Amino acid sequence: MGTDLRVELWRDEHGLLRELVQFGLDETGGACIIRERNPLDSLDGDGWEGDAVVARFGDPEAARDFLRDEGFEPV
């Protein structure tokens, strides 16, 4: 059994990147999270250590609205 994912990259005016990750894609778009990477955490070689979940949503459009409200634009 595979997991369907869609990842969108968003950036703010200062260059901070966030990812909108959609899980279990279906007709409603699927549940999603917004995650952010802290590059300082991943400097020691652990690529997963730097990921932090910023927010969780059941609707990708609500997640996109949240990102826009926070000053992010799609890349």
Side-chain angles (χ1 to χ4, degrees), residues 1 4 8 11 17 21-22 25 45 49-50 54 67 69 71:
M1 172 189 262
D4 294 329
E8 298 176 16
R11 182 185 333 251
L17 293 173
V21 182
Q22 292 176 253
L25 301 176
E49 188 176 279
V54 175
L67 284 164
D69 289 347

Side-chain angles (χ1 to χ4, degrees), residues 3-43:
T3 302
D4 294 329
L5 294 174
R6 179 179 299 147
V7 178
E8 298 176 16
L9 192 60
W10 291 67
R11 182 185 333 251
D12 73 359
E13 65 184 36
H14 306 289
L16 181 64
L17 293 173
R18 287 189 176 168
E19 295 175 333
L20 190 162
V21 182
Q22 292 176 253
F23 302 96
L25 301 176
D26 58 21
E27 62 276 352
T28 62
C32 55
I33 62 169
I34 296 173
R35 67 182 178 191
E36 182 177 292
R37 175 168 294 256
N38 182 343
L40 297 176
D41 284 344
S42 61
L43 283 177

